[in-house]
Amino acid sequence: MSMDNPSKATQHTKTCRIILFPLPFQGHINPMIQLADILHSKGFKISIIHTQFNSPDPSKYPHFMFHLIPDGVPEDQASKHDILRVLHILNTDCVPLFSECLGKLLSAHDDIACIITDAMIYSSQAVAEDLGIPRIALRTSSVCSFLTFAALPVLREKGFYSDNLDSRWEEPVVELPPLKVKDVLGIHIRNLDDTLKIVNDMVEGTKKASGLIFNTFQDLEEPNIANLHEHFRLPTFLIGPFHKFFSAASSSLLTQDRSSIYWLDTQKTSSVLYVSFGSLAAMDEKDLIEVAWGLANSMQPFLWVVRPGLVQGSEWLESLPDEFLEVTGKRGYIVKWAPQQEVLSHPAVGGFWTHSGWNSILESICEGVPMICSSFFGDQTVNSRYINDVWRLGIKLECGFEREEIESAIRKIMLEGEGRQDIIERLVCLKEKIDGFSSTSVNSLSDFISTFKSSVV
Ligand code: UDX
């Protein structure tokens, strides 16, 4: 999408450079690279500091400069999927290396306006302050999940985590409507204390930043915007969905299997359920089998992304019963990784069963595809609750992975009926608002960045 009519102030920023540092996970690399492209299209020069671990491919972006820092993430696969460990390493061992690299760049270029780093790399705030350069934080997920993260210390003080809440699993959290107790307790990954510390450090680091960018849009997040401004008094820019400007395909870390598109070409309009749980989710064999039988029993055609590593300890499809493959036959197609944006825009796709990762949700909304929402950890539990209860763009699976609930949700979302029709109408309405999205908010971000380096013209 081209961005016309750059404002006057934006035109003066043409020689400014911005340094970006993405969190090296797929769901965070995609929006950071898209943001880099958006800012580049506004005339900024772009340098990207990146880790060895999950490194982007510099050859795909000849218009950017890349600077590699050793990250210290151990080579073994187990460590690479240990999200908390990687976050810890990035915010501790990696800090002096990031600081050294940034220091060298600041000495070599006198046109650097600011750095933009992922909000989860909260230690970059102290580095920026030490080196006297403004930092803008990029929060790659929803405002509603960010505000939930910000409220967790208060919930903890109220004994939220120490009480035995199992019997209150389905009760509402009065401080955070419409969340239920299970949504909040589902946020943490493996270790509660480590997760809460990282989330809290992220929120506090963001408060100290010079600005905050969200990959989201005002019309969707309206109910939470006032709350955001009340608690975070820093310049904030909602300029998503980024992928409406630039696709995420070029930053895919895995090869996207294009045979999925050829298979979709053979299917009827709106008949296929696309199923993908993103780049990080892991499930056990028992849940995978429930997913499989839910799909089989629904009798609907499906395109299913089973990422190697989705089931821990398994190579790929060996956990699936032979009977499932026989029963579903040509009605189902399974790939390791798909060109997701293209899949969602394909006329044959009528629904998306997602893990509720934020990029997936935005991509589905933009293509007007109704969702079935599961959740594994982090923002996903909040996003899925909002999809079901607030935005009403899909159905949340309330029982985890349970074949009867899955089958019933698939039928509701895929078969013509009032439920599906109402969701589609709401999606059409939102899509129109996104399509009418002007470049105003991008221009105000450009203007804001230009104030850091107003002498550079
Ligand atoms: C992670 C977290 O899990 C998520 O909750 C958070 O919001 C962002 O970081 P991830 O699990 O990878 O992200 O999910 P998501 O945010 O949906 O991002 C996945 C990206 O990979 C999307 O841009 C999607 O288009 C792409 N993708 C996914 C593919 O290209 N092919 C696929 O087969 C699946």
Side-chain angles (χ1 to χ4, degrees), residues 21 24 29 53 73 90 145 162 190 197-198 224 227 267 278 296 301 304 306 324 349 362 366 368 371 426:
F21 186 22
I29 293 171
F53 166 64
V73 176
L90 282 169
S145 64
S162 42
R190 205 171 30 81
K197 184 182 176 325
I198 282 178
N224 288 308
N227 192 359
Q267 303 299 309
W304 185 10
V306 180
F324 161 77
V349 170
L362 289 177
C366 287
M371 285 166 266
R426 282 188 282 274

Side-chain angles (χ1 to χ4, degrees), residues 18-19 89-90 109 124 147 160 168 170 181 195 214 233 239 258 319 337 346 374-375 404 417:
I18 305 171
I19 315 268
I89 291 171
L90 282 169
H109 303 274
S124 59
L147 290 171
F160 201 84
R168 294 171 45 199
E170 295 291 340
V181 168
T195 307
F214 279 97
R233 295 181 177 274
I239 61 168
R258 294 203 54 78
S319 319
W337 195 244
H346 197 287
S374 290
S375 59
E404 282 83 17

Side-chain angles (χ1 to χ4, degrees), residues 250-263:
S250 64
S251 50
S252 187
L253 296 167
L254 298 171
T255 306
Q256 297 180 323
D257 185 342
R258 294 203 54 78
S259 70
S260 47
I261 302 293
Y262 309 139
W263 182 79

Side-chain angles (χ1 to χ4, degrees), residues 26-28 30 140-141 248 252 256 274 276-280 305 337-341 355-360 363 377 379-380 383:
Q26 185 73 79
H28 293 252
N30 286 359
T140 57
S141 191
S252 187
Q256 297 180 323
Y274 170 58
S276 170
F277 301 139
S279 65
L280 293 171
V305 174
W337 195 244
Q340 180 162 302
Q341 257 180 261
H355 67 308
S356 312
W358 192 241
N359 298 286
S360 292
E363 288 159 12
F377 59 82
D379 61 329
Q380 300 160 13
N383 298 339

Side-chain angles (χ1 to χ4, degrees), residues 68-143:
L68 171 71
I69 53 171
D71 46 57
V73 176
E75 274 302 302
D76 60 288
Q77 284 303 315
S79 304
K80 287 183 172 174
H81 291 101
D82 186 340
I83 304 162
L84 287 180
R85 182 143 183 234
V86 172
L87 284 170
H88 177 74
I89 291 171
L90 282 169
N91 283 294
T92 53
D93 306 12
C94 213
V95 174
L97 303 159
F98 172 63
S99 177
E100 189 187 333
C101 180
L102 184 57
K104 279 188 189 156
L105 285 170
L106 286 166
S107 307
H109 303 274
D110 61 2
D111 58 353
I112 298 171
C114 67
I115 63 168
I116 302 179
T117 66
D118 194 292
M120 297 304 291
I121 314 180
Y122 48 82
S123 296
S124 59
Q125 181 60 35
V127 174
E129 285 168 17
D130 277 353
L131 295 173
I133 181 96
R135 169 196 178 226
I136 300 177
L138 169 64
R139 183 68 197 134
T140 57
S141 191
S142 52
V143 170

